[in-house]
Amino acid sequence: MTTIEAQPAPRGRPLDPYGLGRAEGLATSHSEAGPASERVIIAFGFWIFLLSDIVMFSAFFAAHAVLQTATDNGPTGRELFDPSRVAIETACLLASSFTCGLSAVATNARNYVWTQAALLATGLLGLAFLGLEAHEFSGMIANGAGPDRSAFLSSFFALVGLHGAHVSVGLLWLGTMMAQLFVKGFGPIIHRLICFNLFWHVLDIIWVAIFTVVYLIGEGR
């Protein structure tokens, strides 16, 4: 009867007569993957930032929903809100979302002229939105309906003003990227352009929620 003797294992490694270590090594080699691309890493980190921003807005929405009727015998939304102006604000911001999407298409095609044109249109529409919002705020404060008048107005100015502050920061970011694109081209800022598109579209979604919860429901009350 022939006896098969196991070969001695290399020094520092345990005996493995069934080849399990070799199979494990092959499985490991097939499951290993290289590091994620820079685009994936940046997008993942920016999505975490956007989610944290949405959580913050959710708290402001909840506060306004609770305080929407706490007018302290002061003016209500029906008395303060101008539906036509709010409709124009909404149209400007939604149109800016469309032009922002066009800038993303032009960026993917590496078309410098159309990227800059679409970003410029986005910025102009965003400025128009901010101008209308500032006019609304100044008119309300001039008529004695400032944030210190009632809890309802405090929550209104806090929520809508927070969104306006985000739009202002987005426009500053947009102008900076247009200048960098003019000087350096697509290479250094391509990922920032993608992140800006995400940021701007999220602001539009939040504004649709504000338009519904604050203006439509508020005017109905």
Side-chain angles (χ1 to χ4, degrees), residues 8-16:
R11 183 174 298 178
R13 296 181 60 183
L15 186 65
D16 184 17

Side-chain angles (χ1 to χ4, degrees), residues 37-71:
S37 65
E38 183 181 3
R39 177 171 181 168
V40 171
I41 294 173
I42 293 175
F44 178 75
F46 198 74
W47 269 114
I48 293 177
F49 161 73
L50 290 177
L51 290 173
S52 67
D53 221 28
I54 290 172
V55 170
M56 178 177 63
F57 270 104
S58 299
F60 279 74
F61 271 108
H64 182 75
V66 171
L67 300 173
Q68 204 165 28
T69 57
T71 59

Side-chain angles (χ1 to χ4, degrees), residues 48-176:
I48 293 177
F49 161 73
L50 290 177
L51 290 173
S52 67
D53 221 28
I54 290 172
V55 170
M56 178 177 63
F57 270 104
S58 299
F60 279 74
F61 271 108
H64 182 75
V66 171
L67 300 173
Q68 204 165 28
T69 57
T71 59
D72 191 26
N73 295 321
T76 63
R78 180 185 291 273
E79 300 167 353
L80 294 172
F81 300 151
D82 182 1
S84 60
R85 179 171 52 200
V86 177
I88 296 173
E89 288 181 43
T90 304
C92 287
L93 203 59
L94 293 181
S96 74
S97 182
F98 175 73
T99 56
C100 189
L102 292 180
S103 74
V105 174
T107 298
N108 289 332
R110 300 299 191 272
N111 189 312
Y112 171 80
V113 174
W114 280 106
T115 299
Q116 289 282 47
L119 291 176
L120 178 61
T122 302
L124 293 176
L125 289 167
L127 283 174
F129 170 83
L130 280 182
L132 290 169
E133 191 170 88
H135 184 265
E136 179 186 24
F137 281 4
S138 61
M140 291 173 64
I141 294 173
N143 292 326
D148 57 340
R149 177 62 184 84
S150 64
F152 158 66
L153 288 171
S154 295
S155 64
F156 168 80
F157 276 92
L159 175 57
V160 181
L162 178 65
H163 179 269
H166 277 71
V167 174
S168 301
V169 172
L171 291 176
L172 179 62
W173 184 8
L174 174 61
T176 303

Side-chain angles (χ1 to χ4, degrees), residues 139-206:
M140 291 173 64
I141 294 173
N143 292 326
D148 57 340
R149 177 62 184 84
S150 64
F152 158 66
L153 288 171
S154 295
S155 64
F156 168 80
F157 276 92
L159 175 57
V160 181
L162 178 65
H163 179 269
H166 277 71
V167 174
S168 301
V169 172
L171 291 176
L172 179 62
W173 184 8
L174 174 61
T176 303
M177 286 193 306
M178 290 182 67
Q180 291 180 340
L181 184 60
F182 175 76
V183 174
K184 300 180 179 179
F186 285 104
I189 68 165
I190 188 69
H191 301 306
R192 276 169 277 175
L193 286 170
I194 296 172
C195 291
F196 172 77
N197 272 268
L198 292 173
F199 178 76
W200 199 258
H201 291 313
V202 167
L203 289 185
D204 290 338
I205 294 171
I206 292 174

